[in-house]
Amino acid sequence: MKYQGILFDLDGTLVDNSELVITSFQYIFKTHLNMDLEPEDIYPYFGRPLIEAFRELAPENEDLIETYRAYENPRGDEMAHLVEGAKEVLIKLYESGIKLAIVSSRNSKSLHHELEIRAVDQYFQVIIGCDDSEKHKPDKEPVEKALKNLGLKSEDCLFVGDSPYDMMSAKGAGVKTALVRWTNVPWADVEKCYPDYILETMFDLLEICEV
């Protein structure tokens, strides 16, 4: 096997929840702040902790984060879904003996719930959320923490993500990167991070990992 461990971002990488995120942002900002947001206004915040988005878009209204979560959470089970091929690829990697981890900007409680309802939680040895590290993507800290918990060296691992923050966090920790082609982040913004691989589909990962 080419890699002993694979670290995944969740949203936009393994789970397609873009419609849910966009709808939630638009509802909250229109209803509570009378602000009209286009999808293009929201895409730059994909892959970042929710608090960072609110600090930039509505710095005086961070209290709306809980309102946002109350709107989004009950809709997530139905409006989000695994990307095509994700479960099959995860099973194959797991059965091949590769250690798997999630490194996400979501909080850990939300991550565990998402993985459980998608019936893929049993394949991950390590789950790192935004509340598990002091610094967040694009800082290297969450990736380094995942490596430590997996018991693996950076050169033996690959990070799969959909945003510049994923790529920068992984590269900072010395981990090879794979960028998913189905990202909603403007392609020019992520491509300039020079990923080591580009995945057209999830199944490309099996060839890269030589399993």
Side-chain angles (χ1 to χ4, degrees), residues 84-159:
E84 184 176 358
K87 187 168 186 177
E88 296 93 326
V89 169
L90 290 173
I91 292 173
K92 181 66 174 179
L93 295 171
Y94 178 83
E95 292 179 344
S96 298
I98 295 176
K99 294 182 178 180
L100 306 180
I102 291 288
V103 181
S104 171
S105 294
R106 280 205 212 187
N107 65 61
S108 55
K109 180 180 179 181
S110 176
L111 291 175
H112 282 279
H113 173 75
E114 186 72 43
L115 295 171
E116 287 173 5
I117 64 171
R118 308 302 167 198
V120 294
D121 56 305
Q122 65 268 39
Y123 305 118
F124 294 94
Q125 287 88 345
V126 171
I127 298 174
I128 302 295
C130 65
D131 49 338
D132 292 313
S133 61
E134 292 185 11
K135 297 180 181 178
H136 312 297
K137 304 174 193 175
D139 192 88
K140 64 182 180 178
E141 183 181 337
V143 173
E144 288 184 331
K145 183 163 187 179
L147 294 175
K148 181 179 180 180
N149 290 354
L150 287 171
L152 296 174
K153 297 178 180 180
S154 59
E155 59 265 30
D156 295 324
C157 295
L158 175 69
F159 193 106

